[in-house]
């Protein structure tokens, strides 16, 4: 389970759903292997076993393949880990991001999707939707902390879940510095401390 | 003055330095106008008035142009604002990033450079160095807070300055959400609260 775009998910469904999943898996594998610029309909067709003309007809092209891979993620059952404490949950959220990008294949595919969003408005829109969904699901971490009385009810959960993971993405894609467990721990602990200090309180 | 890659700086110097600055300014202007994929030696030559063969000979190609634009930034005199308080300084740091990207030309050029780093190892290395330098200069904000007794001496200044700006970059380039003054304020306030809570204390 992952907070990042490139985690293949097994889905039930008929032939259409299986084809869609196969094309999505092939898209992620091609992105991991060749990057955003190396993604081709031909490569996805060959890897998925779905005929090239079918891929063109149903997905249009590489942008459509990326968009559909992101859209499909909305159907998965990803939920943040429930560790029993707010600090533990935030740490688990940050750690999920760190581990996703440490995974060679998943990290490369997710990175390629983030890169694609710089070049394609459609990919950017799909990525925005993907993360909006992931972050909304992550807000349960804050909801549980509120229910336990760790945080006041009027807390900006959206800001907190973004604060937890932002330092990791900043290093990955802007400063291009390595991320390790210390960075992950700092990121989570800083968000927790800020939340407890009332920075994210809504009035 | 800016914390972002694309801020042209007037430099003294002889003919070589003026040529280099003209090529850098043209590179940033072309990046702002056409993006990373639209950057060409021809475009930079035409805009800068420097002959195409000179640009090829001295910069090699588009990667060399981006790298040199980032390298030149190391020579400027950028320093973070000194507002008199740790909270004010952090807010000013975050606000400088927000304003840089809100500026149409500077924001577009900086975004194109961040995009280039996904495609070019040389651009990624230069971007890493650029931000390492900017963040090192930003650490004076923490040094001043330590000198005023706002923070303990053994504080991880590098982590704090990154914590201040990370939420902005995360929204700009990953979640692709808008950034406004409230986001900026949250980012700075969260980093300050975490620092005061001892999250960045080094033992």
């Amino acid at each position: 389970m992952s907070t990042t775009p490139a985690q293949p998910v097994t889905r039930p469904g008929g032939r259409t759903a299986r084809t869609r999943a196969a094309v999505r898996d092939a898209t992620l594998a091609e992105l991991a292997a060749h990057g955003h610029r190396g993604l081709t309909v031909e490569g996805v067709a060959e890897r998925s076993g779905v005929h090239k003309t079918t891929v063109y007809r149903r997905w249009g092209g590489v942008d459509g393949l990326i968009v559909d891979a992101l859209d499909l993620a909305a159907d998965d059952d990803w939920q943040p880990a429930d560790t029993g404490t707010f600090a533990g949950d935030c740490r688990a959220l940050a750690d999920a991001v760190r581990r996703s990008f440490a995974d060679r294949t998943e990290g490369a595919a997710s990175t390629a999707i983030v890169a694609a969003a710089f070049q394609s408005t459609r990919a950017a829109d799909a990525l925005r939707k993907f993360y909006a969904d992931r972050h909304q699901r992550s807000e349960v971490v804050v909801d549980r902390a509120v229910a336990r009385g760790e945080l006041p009810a009027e807390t900006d959960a959206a800001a907190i879940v973004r604060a937890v993971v932002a330092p990791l993405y900043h290093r990955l894609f802007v400063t291009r510095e390595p991320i390790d467990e210390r960075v992950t721990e700092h990121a989570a602990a800083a968000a927790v401390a800020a939340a407890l200090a009332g920075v994210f309180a809504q009035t």
Side-chain angles (χ1 to χ4, degrees), chain A:
Chain A
M1 294 199 305
S2 171
T3 57
T4 51
Q7 217 259 344
V9 186
T10 312
R11 295 175 69 244
R15 188 158 174 266
T16 303
R18 283 199 306 274
T19 300
R20 197 177 168 204
V23 167
R24 187 266 324 275
D25 291 350
T27 299
L28 297 179
E30 287 288 302
L31 284 170
H34 308 299
H36 165 231
R37 280 180 158 176
L39 183 68
T40 61
V41 168
E42 288 72 14
V44 170
E46 187 160 333
R47 196 184 278 264
S48 65
V50 176
H51 201 278
K52 196 172 74 174
T53 53
T54 307
V55 177
Y56 272 116
R57 192 177 66 242
R58 287 182 42 193
W59 283 269
V62 292
D63 275 6
L65 289 168
I66 292 171
V67 167
D68 199 44
L70 287 165
D71 285 353
L72 255 183
D75 297 345
D76 75 18
D77 61 355
W78 182 82
Q79 292 294 336
D82 186 353
T83 69
T85 66
F86 179 50
D89 284 1
C90 288
R91 176 61 198 267
L93 269 185
D95 217 47
V97 174
R98 181 184 66 75
R99 280 184 287 107
S100 296
F101 284 98
D103 179 281
R104 203 182 174 82
T105 307
E106 189 183 345
S110 295
T111 298
I113 290 174
V114 173
F118 283 86
Q119 310 296 345
S120 155
T121 308
R122 287 183 62 207
D125 286 343
L127 189 65
R128 183 186 301 116
K129 267 185 227 151
F130 168 82
Y131 275 115
D133 173 50
R134 282 307 188 258
H135 287 138
Q136 194 165 35
R137 297 195 211 182
S138 300
E139 291 181 19
V140 69
V141 161
V142 177
D143 297 342
R144 290 195 292 248
V146 169
R148 281 188 298 260
E150 293 184 81
L151 291 176
E154 299 302 311
T155 294
D156 186 345
I160 293 177
V161 298
R162 284 160 181 75
V164 170
V165 298
L168 306 181
Y169 285 105
H170 179 235
R171 295 179 78 101
L172 283 167
F173 299 128
V174 180
T175 67
R176 296 192 167 267
E177 297 168 306
I179 55 177
D180 57 17
E181 295 203 27
R182 186 165 161 278
V183 169
T184 312
E185 199 178 320
H186 262 168
V192 168
L196 295 177
V199 169
F200 302 109
Q202 287 176 320
T203 49

